[in-house]
Amino acid sequence: KKTALTCTSIIMVSSDDVTHSENYVTELIEFYPDNLIISKSPAYEGLFSVIRDKNTQTPSFVYHADRLMRILVEDALAALSSRPPAASVETPCGPTVQNFRRPVDPGIVTAVSIVRAGDSLLEVVRGILPGLASVGKILIQRDENSLQKNAVVYYDKLPPTISKNDVILCDPMLATGGSSLAALDILVKKGGVDPGRIVFCNVLTCPEGVHAVLKAYPAVTIVTAQIDPYLNEQKFIVPGLGDFGCRYFGTA
């Protein structure tokens, strides 16, 4: 049985500054070994250095973010539950190579974006999987006047057959988890999607968001490129990269 792991066990706040355990990422992975996947690539360091930079202009932000998201989405697709079992593959040179799992059939995958930032990830998924079965949209905005930046759902449109498919939920930022939980509620309670068939794909997250999502939906899988240590008073990820949607779509 898992012992309680709270954000306060990972993040220590002092009067002078906000610090965190050097092992906070390791602790999260150990606590959620089957549901938290951190995408790995040597390319991430350089790509993140550009999109985190406050001086990066929109064209460069989009170009480098798109490159980063292509790597991330491939790892998210590999985590889908309906990938075929391992099988042998015969090469043109003759030998048979064992234990290869082929990619998931795109005809049983639905991609759902949390509008608007999620549309950036959605288009990457569609570019990699042109045979994608269907697309869903959920419009959620944070109430900036509320202390906890509560999520407000304005619109959702899900494909009628979504309950039969694997689902990639697309949102580049997982911060408080409010918008993510609202979207998951719609997918599971309205769309009838099995939580075990949902992969939540995000560029950047933090311990608060991971805990919020996996506490409510322990069967969901999170695939992220990086985990930052904490949220600030405005509920932005720190050090973060600012508002992803505004920077990507040029409205910052």
Side-chain angles (χ1 to χ4, degrees):
K1 183 178 179 180
K2 294 178 179 178
T3 57
L5 176 63
T6 65
C7 291
T8 54
S9 70
I10 298 172
I11 304 161
M12 288 75 71
V13 181
S14 68
S15 58
D16 299 322
D17 196 4
V18 179
T19 58
H20 61 87
S21 164
E22 293 181 356
N23 298 319
Y24 72 98
V25 174
T26 301
E27 292 176 8
L28 280 172
I29 294 172
E30 290 176 350
F31 196 67
Y32 302 111
D34 302 320
N35 304 89
L36 178 60
I37 298 172
I38 302 178
S39 176
K40 300 292 184 181
S41 170
Y44 280 146
E45 181 182 6
L47 297 172
F48 267 113
S49 73
V50 176
I51 66 174
R52 285 186 186 273
D53 189 340
K54 68 178 183 180
N55 296 312
T56 298
Q57 299 300 304
T58 300
S60 182
F61 185 93
V62 171
Y63 172 71
H64 290 89
D66 283 349
R67 289 174 59 189
L68 186 154
M69 289 188 291
R70 286 191 68 87
I71 302 170
L72 174 65
V73 167
E74 289 287 5
D75 279 351
L77 292 173
L80 290 172
S81 64
S82 295
R83 283 184 65 196
S88 61
V89 176
E90 185 176 355
T91 74
C93 297
T96 297
V97 183
Q98 304 292 333
N99 298 321
F100 268 85
R101 291 189 67 191
R102 293 190 180 275
V104 69
D105 176 4
I108 58 171
V109 179
T110 294
V112 178
S113 69
I114 300 178
V115 180
R116 130 191 97 153
D119 289 344
S120 60
L121 261 173
L122 171 64
E123 291 309 311
V124 173
V125 175
R126 296 182 70 184
I128 293 174
L129 290 184
L132 194 67
S134 52
V135 167
K137 298 273 189 173
I138 304 175
L139 175 57
I140 304 173
Q141 291 185 337
R142 299 201 312 180
D143 179 1
E144 296 297 341
N145 294 320
S146 66
L147 182 63
Q148 297 300 321
K149 309 300 181 184
N150 298 323
V152 180
V153 179
Y154 289 94
Y155 171 84
D156 66 86
K157 183 69 172 179
L158 302 180
T161 59
I162 192 171
S163 63
K164 301 178 182 179
N165 294 344
D166 282 356
V167 173
I168 291 188
L169 179 61
C170 301
D171 193 359
M173 307 293 282
L174 170 55
T176 65
S179 296
S180 308
L181 290 175
L184 287 167
D185 285 345
I186 290 170
L187 290 174
V188 174
K189 298 175 183 178
K190 184 175 181 179
V193 179
D194 177 356
R197 298 187 70 178
I198 299 173
V199 170
F200 182 26
C201 182
N202 45 79
V203 170
L204 194 61
T205 187
C206 63
E208 291 93 330
V210 172
H211 287 307
V213 168
L214 295 183
K215 179 180 178 181
Y217 287 99
V220 166
T221 298
I222 295 174
V223 178
T224 188
Q226 204 148 52
I227 302 176
D228 278 1
Y230 65 96
L231 297 174
N232 63 15
E233 292 182 356
Q234 290 74 41
K235 305 303 180 183
F236 278 98
I237 298 172
V238 178
L241 49 79
D243 188 311
F244 189 101
C246 286
R247 298 191 68 191
Y248 191 94
F249 292 106
T251 55

